[in-house]
Amino acid sequence: MHAVQSRFDIRAIQTSWTKLDAMTRIRPIHDEAGHDRMVALMNDLLDVVGDNEEHQLAGLLELVGDLIANYEREHFAIAASEPKDALRFLIEAKGLKQEDLSNIVAQGNLSKILAGHRKISATLAGKLGEFFGVSPALFIPKS
């Protein structure tokens, strides 16, 4: 029986990993402390890497981002809400009044939307998305 030749220098990886692990403790996230640690690492990496996809640490940033996304998808999933409820939430969160949106939608129509008596059109969804800085899909009912 022949020994299979590895394509990787596992001893070198082990030495490098031991040093990196001592600094970062990168691993799948199972709790809030691990999540907080990975978010802190991601923020530090973002400060250095920015949006430079060619940076030496860009792959590490992507890996850490994936670990965080996987954890958040399981633990912080937000149930889909009705478009009118999302709109109401954004209005309240920004401390706005209905008249603050008068350049986008007539106040009477906005009242009907918030009461559930009128749907948000695709055009209005686009305008609301732009106004609030969110995806217009937030205002489109899920079928």
Side-chain angles (χ1 to χ4, degrees):
M1 198 163 195
H2 293 74
V4 176
Q5 182 67 28
S6 174
R7 292 178 277 166
F8 302 98
D9 183 347
I10 298 300
R11 289 188 189 274
I13 291 171
Q14 183 177 356
T15 300
S16 298
W17 176 256
T18 301
K19 292 176 184 174
L20 180 64
D21 189 48
M23 291 184 279
T24 62
R25 296 193 32 81
I26 294 175
R27 54 189 31 85
I29 303 169
H30 298 290
D31 55 31
E32 283 189 51
H35 178 260
D36 292 346
R37 188 178 60 254
M38 287 299 101
V39 169
L41 175 58
M42 183 179 71
N43 288 333
D44 288 350
L45 286 167
L46 281 167
D47 288 344
V48 173
V49 175
D51 59 1
N52 180 0
E53 293 178 7
E54 303 301 318
H55 193 281
Q56 291 175 319
L57 295 174
L60 179 59
L61 174 60
E62 184 177 0
L63 175 65
V64 171
D66 287 348
L67 291 171
I68 293 167
N70 288 339
Y71 179 82
E72 289 179 351
R73 196 170 18 261
E74 285 184 28
H75 294 87
F76 299 125
I78 298 172
S81 62
E82 289 291 319
K84 66 180 178 68
D85 297 329
L87 179 56
R88 179 177 287 108
F89 172 81
L90 289 169
I91 290 171
E92 291 172 4
K94 299 218 180 250
L96 301 173
K97 294 181 172 65
Q98 287 188 21
E99 54 265 18
D100 294 328
L101 281 83
S102 63
N103 289 343
I104 299 169
V105 57
Q107 190 170 347
N109 289 343
L110 181 56
S111 293
K112 289 177 185 174
I113 289 168
L114 293 173
H117 300 301
R118 185 181 181 122
K119 301 282 184 203
I120 298 174
S121 69
T123 302
L124 180 55
K127 291 177 182 179
L128 290 169
E130 186 177 329
F131 180 81
F132 286 108
V134 298
S135 170
L138 186 64
F139 305 108
I140 305 295
K142 312 297 180 256
S143 299

